Amino acid sequence: MSRETALVTADWVEQHLDDPKVVIVEVDEDTTAYDKGHIRGAIKLDWTTDLQDQVRRDAVNKDQFAALLSERGVGNEDTVVLYGGNNNWFAAYAYWYFKLYGHQDVKLLDGGRKKWELDSRELVDEVPTREQTTFTAQDQDTDIRAFRDEVVEAIGVKNLIDVRSPDEYAGRLLAPAHLPQEQAQRAGHIPTAGNVPWSKAANDDGTFKSDEELKELYTQAGVDWGKDTIAYCRIGERSSHTWFVLHELLGEQSTKNYDGSWTEYGSLIGVPIVLGDEPGTAS
Amino acid sequence: MCGATTGGVSLEGVDVTKESVIQGVVTRGEQPVGNAYVRLLDRTGEFTAEVPTSVTGQFRFFAAPGEWTLRTLAPRADVVDRRVVAQQGSIAEVNVSI
């Protein structure tokens, strides 16, 4: 993967608004954002109901994902372009989902909804209707998904990148600062994890920094490019943003997203946790 | 807006005594700006959170006690930075003019 295949500009999207093979999809943390106006022709995915199993705490499974996209009118031959608020956090999470289930022709709108709005580009209220398809999902590609046991074994062995804000990393906050802080689990970070906040990979307008800047960012943070990498955050959406940078923009194929992230790790009994601004040691 | 406190939407259901709230309104002249983005930067200038303003121009963060900077981005406006100190159990009101 590369920037040319994984990312499109707002101009590109405007030029493809009427392209029948391009499906534009909005995914927001604020699930009502779409209803306040969206890119013409865009459909909506709701991460809380469409992309989370409603009983188990897990991603939707292959059959659920296939049924969802079929019902929304997304076909296996379509080019899917994702965008959303919060600098594309949840759009990147959905992007990771499409890759997880084997849909290769998927792209992110650089800058997401924010860049689109700051450019004063058109947003509409009309909700499009798309004919049902028969979308076929592949088995989960676990080369891009990390689970908790693998994360514990990765301490001191693989690159662990905590992409939350410095205050969440250090244990001074338990959640992003636009959310109430009440949580059940412990604060802190996984021992040996470096802190590279997702936001360092993006400009103020939400677009991604250049490949050279991104490579330098993670190199300076101590990432060993010869090792496998696991990115995590609180619930796996900001780390999808960093996974996108490493796996899709920089082509680091041995990069996984730990979608259980801190809400799972910080609730586990007996696992090591480090408080404060330093990564800590593996012992 | 039902239940609104000055400068913010309802905090019903939130235990404000545990939170360090920063909130306010973004305005252009007398008009609230409903399509702005407010970023919360920590004491080192590092990004911590970002919210779009509501249709009434309002924003809110649940921060930690300490010094913060609010950076406001809006269409056809220069970036505006405002310093603010948050304290647990109180609401820091910051109104931003662009």
Side-chain angles (χ1 to χ4, degrees):
Chain A
M1 294 307 298
S2 68
R3 184 171 292 258
E4 288 68 35
T5 53
L7 209 53
V8 292
T9 64
D11 285 344
W12 187 96
V13 170
E14 281 193 336
Q15 289 157 13
H16 288 81
L17 287 176
D18 298 308
D19 185 336
K21 296 310 291 177
V22 173
V23 183
I24 303 169
V25 184
E26 177 160 342
V27 193
D28 290 295
E29 179 184 34
D30 171 7
T31 57
T32 65
Y34 176 91
D35 306 325
K36 299 169 189 161
H38 47 263
I39 296 177
R40 179 163 61 81
I43 62 170
K44 168 186 176 180
L45 289 180
D46 183 325
W47 73 274
T48 60
T49 54
D50 294 330
L51 299 178
Q52 302 272 312
D53 188 285
Q54 296 299 292
V55 179
R56 295 160 50 138
R57 181 152 179 261
D58 203 351
V60 292
N61 65 30
K62 173 178 143 183
D63 292 341
Q64 290 169 311
F65 191 68
L68 169 71
L69 295 190
S70 300
E71 186 256 321
R72 300 294 162 87
V74 181
N76 287 93
E77 304 305 317
D78 288 335
T79 298
V80 174
V81 176
L82 292 153
Y83 77 100
N86 271 20
N87 302 274
N88 272 334
W89 288 0
F90 285 80
Y93 180 63
Y95 182 107
W96 175 77
Y97 241 98
F98 276 87
K99 291 283 181 170
L100 188 68
Y101 287 118
H103 189 82
Q104 296 306 320
D105 194 0
V106 56
K107 301 171 188 299
L108 266 190
L109 165 57
D110 200 11
R113 184 179 174 110
K114 179 167 68 174
K115 169 85 168 125
W116 192 273
E117 287 189 351
L118 292 175
D119 287 351
S120 299
R121 294 177 194 261
E122 181 192 36
L123 294 172
V124 301
D125 293 327
E126 299 89 60
V127 176
T129 51
R130 299 187 62 84
E131 278 192 33
Q132 278 214 356
T133 63
T134 306
F135 185 93
T136 305
Q138 309 298 313
D139 288 333
Q140 273 195 22
D141 178 4
T142 52
D143 284 350
I144 63 171
R145 188 181 193 197
F147 294 90
R148 61 177 179 268
D149 292 346
E150 181 181 357
V151 171
V152 173
E153 288 165 10
I155 295 172
V157 178
K158 297 179 180 177
N159 298 309
L160 287 167
I161 304 179
D162 186 320
V163 316
R164 297 173 298 163
S165 62
D167 280 344
E168 291 174 86
Y169 175 83
R172 292 186 286 269
L173 288 177
L174 269 163
H178 62 291
L179 299 171
Q181 296 294 310
E182 304 96 338
Q183 303 278 334
Q185 77 277 0
R186 301 291 177 150
H189 60 266
I190 302 172
T192 74
N195 183 209
V196 189
W198 70 273
S199 53
K200 287 185 181 294
N203 300 305
D204 275 358
D205 67 2
T207 55
F208 289 98
K209 291 183 176 171
S210 70
D211 289 355
E212 294 71 26
E213 289 172 305
L214 294 171
K215 190 91 180 179
E216 177 68 10
L217 168 66
Y218 294 100
T219 301
Q220 286 294 323
V223 167
D224 181 341
W225 297 104
K227 289 183 176 178
D228 294 352
T229 299
I230 297 172
Y232 74 92
C233 59
R234 184 177 69 107
I235 58 172
E237 79 308 329
R238 282 176 287 178
S239 51
S240 296
H241 187 277
T242 296
W243 172 85
F244 178 86
V245 168
L246 293 170
H247 195 278
E248 302 295 285
L249 297 184
L250 298 182
E252 294 296 323
Q253 296 302 300
S254 299
T255 307
K256 294 189 178 191
N257 180 30
Y258 172 36
D259 58 310
S261 272
W262 192 256
T263 50
E264 177 177 71
Y265 190 94
S267 298
L268 293 174
I269 300 290
V271 295
I273 288 176
V274 173
L275 291 172
D277 297 306
E278 298 302 320
T281 60
S283 58
Chain B
M1 189 168 293
C2 181
T5 57
T6 304
V9 293
S10 173
L11 278 162
E12 191 177 340
V14 176
D15 184 353
V16 179
T17 63
K18 293 181 180 173
E19 304 285 352
S20 307
V21 175
I22 300 170
Q23 66 181 24
V25 182
V26 179
T27 53
R28 179 184 270 127
E30 297 291 308
Q31 297 299 314
V33 179
N35 59 352
Y37 285 82
V38 183
R39 319 193 104 201
L40 182 69
L41 310 180
D42 72 13
R43 65 198 179 287
T44 69
E46 184 57 59
F47 175 96
T48 301
E50 177 182 278
V51 291
T53 50
S54 69
V55 290
T56 51
Q58 292 166 313
F59 63 88
R60 172 178 296 139
F61 296 102
F62 298 93
E67 286 185 26
W68 301 87
T69 297
L70 297 174
R71 174 167 293 171
T72 303
L73 288 76
R76 300 178 303 282
D78 292 332
V79 173
V80 177
D81 283 356
R82 292 285 305 274
R83 298 285 295 276
V84 57
V85 176
Q87 293 180 304
Q88 186 172 338
S90 74
I91 296 173
E93 294 278 353
V94 183
N95 294 320
V96 179
S97 299
I98 60 168

